[in-house]
């Protein structure tokens, strides 16, 4: 059984938040810790609880999410953030990702699409709407993130690919014929190159940036 993810919801409309809460709590692996109508209410809670996931409206009473996303990620670096927008707006996708969001989804998305995005993030992958691809959209990387991945050696790339696939460190050590301690040493070097401090952050950055030049499939 997967770990239960703790979720915080931030939104302008109580009825909409309640509906989202009910959708999430139908899943055994998701538990909603709280619902908040302003960022002023939400930020201290996120910093204290360190939830696995924050679902937030893009437009809040205090302004758009760009104004507070850096502060949220600073207070809880390992929390994933999915931004809910009024429209399927691909123009805000890249800026939000670079600020630390893990996904952007239209409020008109189906419950299945929301859960699919969450499940993808749990597995270390980013989802984008197929219609964006059909309209020629291709996500681009920040130079900082791309340079970090490009600095990885062939062995380090292999290790990260296997970690993203869910392979244990012990098995990776056997595959490349090194000790378990050597894997820890490799990971320390990888974290420095990717400018991250945790396994979850490394997986997220690697998944976002390492495959920019490969075809994107639905």
């Amino acid at each position: 059984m997967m770990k239960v993810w703790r979720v915080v919801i931030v939104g302008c409309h109580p009825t909409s938040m309640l509906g989202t809460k009910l959708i999430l709590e139908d899943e055994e692996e998701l538990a909603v810790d709280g619902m908040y109508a302003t960022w002023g209410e939400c930020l201290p809670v996120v910093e204290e609880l360190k939830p696995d996931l924050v679902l937030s409206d893009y437009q809040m009473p205090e302004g758009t999410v760009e104004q507070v996303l850096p502060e949220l990620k600073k207070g809880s670096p390992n929390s994933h953030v999915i931004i809910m927008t009024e429209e399927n707006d691909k123009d805000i996708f890249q800026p939000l990702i670079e600020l630390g969001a893990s996904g952007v989804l239209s409020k008109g998305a189906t419950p299945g699409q929301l859960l699919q995005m969450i499940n993808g993030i749990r597995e270390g992958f980013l989802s984008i709407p197929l219609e964006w691809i059909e309209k020629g959209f291709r996500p681009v990387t920040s130079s900082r993130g791309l340079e970090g991945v490009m600095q990885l050696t062939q062995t380090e790339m292999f290790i990260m690919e296997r970690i993203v696939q869910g392979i244990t460190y012990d098995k990776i050590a056997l595959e490349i014929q090194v000790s378990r301690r050597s894997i820890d040493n490799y990971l320390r070097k990888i974290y420095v190159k990717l400018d991250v401090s945790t396994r979850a952050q490394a997986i997220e950055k690697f998944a976002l940036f390492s495959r920019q030049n490969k075809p994107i499939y639905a």
Side-chain angles (χ1 to χ4, degrees):
M1 183 176 177
M2 298 180 71
K3 169 194 170 185
V4 174
W5 263 23
R6 301 169 66 190
V7 184
V8 166
I9 302 173
V10 196
C12 304
H13 306 291
T15 302
S16 177
M17 285 196 293
L18 179 58
T20 301
K21 179 178 186 291
L22 294 175
I23 290 169
L24 298 183
E25 292 193 334
D26 274 343
E27 303 294 311
E28 295 181 357
E29 296 85 9
L30 299 172
V32 177
D33 279 349
M35 300 185 296
Y36 303 93
T38 69
W39 279 111
E41 296 173 343
C42 174
L43 286 173
V45 175
V46 169
E47 184 172 2
E48 178 182 357
L49 295 181
K50 303 288 193 296
D52 299 285
L53 176 65
V54 177
L55 284 179
S56 172
D57 281 359
Y58 175 74
Q59 183 73 49
M60 294 290 290
E62 303 99 319
T64 62
V65 72
E66 288 100 336
Q67 298 170 314
V68 294
L69 189 50
E71 183 179 352
L72 184 151
K73 292 294 289 186
K74 181 179 179 181
S76 184
N78 295 328
S79 294
H80 292 283
V81 184
I82 293 178
I83 309 301
M84 308 298 292
T85 65
E86 292 293 341
E87 298 180 1
N88 233 341
D89 192 346
K90 61 182 182 295
D91 294 331
I92 63 174
F93 173 84
Q94 185 68 27
L96 290 175
I97 292 298
E98 293 190 2
L99 286 174
S102 297
V104 179
L105 192 65
S106 167
K107 288 184 179 181
T110 66
Q113 288 170 330
L114 172 60
L115 295 174
Q116 183 181 45
M117 177 170 284
I118 294 173
N119 289 333
I121 292 171
R122 290 182 72 120
E123 297 294 334
F125 290 92
L126 175 71
S127 299
I128 60 176
L130 178 60
E131 66 179 280
W132 292 7
I133 302 301
E134 293 171 342
K135 293 178 180 179
F137 174 75
R138 295 292 184 274
V140 297
T141 65
S142 68
S143 58
R144 182 182 182 184
L146 179 59
E147 288 171 0
V149 173
M150 293 299 291
Q151 289 173 10
L152 299 182
T153 66
Q154 185 174 357
T155 300
E156 290 165 349
M157 290 283 287
F158 176 81
I159 290 171
M160 280 306 306
E161 287 174 353
R162 299 299 275 162
I163 289 174
V164 168
Q165 293 167 5
I167 306 303
T168 65
Y169 295 163
D170 288 336
K171 186 172 181 181
I172 295 172
L174 288 174
E175 290 177 341
I176 62 176
Q177 299 181 341
V178 299
S179 68
R180 174 63 174 77
R181 181 174 295 180
S182 293
I183 297 297
D184 292 334
N185 291 334
Y186 275 117
L187 288 173
R188 280 193 287 272
K189 295 176 182 177
I190 290 170
Y191 288 1
V192 170
K193 292 178 181 179
L194 296 184
D195 191 30
V196 299
S197 58
T198 69
R199 179 178 181 273
Q201 290 171 344
I203 289 175
E204 182 175 5
K205 180 163 284 191
F206 188 81
L208 285 173
F209 297 118
S210 66
R211 303 186 187 280
Q212 180 185 1
N213 296 318
K214 294 185 179 183
I216 303 177
Y217 299 97

